[in-house]
Amino acid sequence: QVQLVESGGGLVQPGGSLRLSCAASGSIFSINGMGWYRQAPGKQRELVARFISGGNINYADSVKGRFTISGDNAKKMVYLQMNSLKTEDTAVYYCNIRIPYGWSTRDYWGQGTQVTVSS
């Protein structure tokens, strides 16, 4: 079983910063990808930033230049530094990990952490 625990969400004013953390634990022997998604009210869950194979990183266009993803493979941790936050960044942020599962892969999700950007 794999567990993901997020922390670091909260209320911040526009232009402010937050740092999210995610700790993965359980039967993880290899990681295909790990990162962050978000879901705003009435909208679909969308990619924010993630590490993919080869150490490459994908960022959503809307967060490029403002958000930075980092990680510690040994500790199975991933972080999201969010700067210059905008009201449209308000959402529940979910940590995701993708691991090998037989001949395919399997995704696991954290419980989510609320980020609210408001004056």
Side-chain angles (χ1 to χ4, degrees), residues 36-53:
W36 295 93
Y37 289 72
R38 67 186 180 187
Q39 188 166 16
K43 294 187 178 182
Q44 290 188 336
R45 191 173 297 188
E46 63 177 4
L47 171 71
V48 177
R50 70 178 289 118
F51 290 105
I52 57 176
S53 60

Side-chain angles (χ1 to χ4, degrees), residues 17-115:
S17 298
L18 281 174
R19 185 176 188 244
L20 305 183
S21 299
C22 174
S25 62
S27 302
I28 301 170
F29 304 103
S30 179
I31 298 175
N32 289 40
M34 192 169 181
W36 295 93
Y37 289 72
R38 67 186 180 187
Q39 188 166 16
K43 294 187 178 182
Q44 290 188 336
R45 191 173 297 188
E46 63 177 4
L47 171 71
V48 177
R50 70 178 289 118
F51 290 105
I52 57 176
S53 60
N56 296 313
I57 298 175
N58 283 342
Y59 285 104
D61 288 342
S62 59
V63 307
K64 284 180 180 177
R66 300 187 299 122
F67 290 12
T68 302
I69 188 172
S70 60
D72 185 331
N73 272 348
K75 295 181 179 180
K76 297 184 178 66
M77 297 282 298
V78 66
Y79 309 94
L80 185 67
Q81 178 65 43
M82 304 184 293
N83 298 328
S84 303
L85 282 160
K86 305 176 181 180
T87 55
E88 52 262 43
D89 295 318
T90 296
V92 178
Y93 284 69
Y94 295 92
C95 181
N96 166 268
I97 189 170
R98 178 169 291 172
I99 63 174
Y101 189 77
W103 293 103
S104 184
T105 59
R106 186 169 183 175
D107 284 315
Y108 291 88
W109 298 90
Q111 79 285 355
T113 185
Q114 177 70 46
V115 171

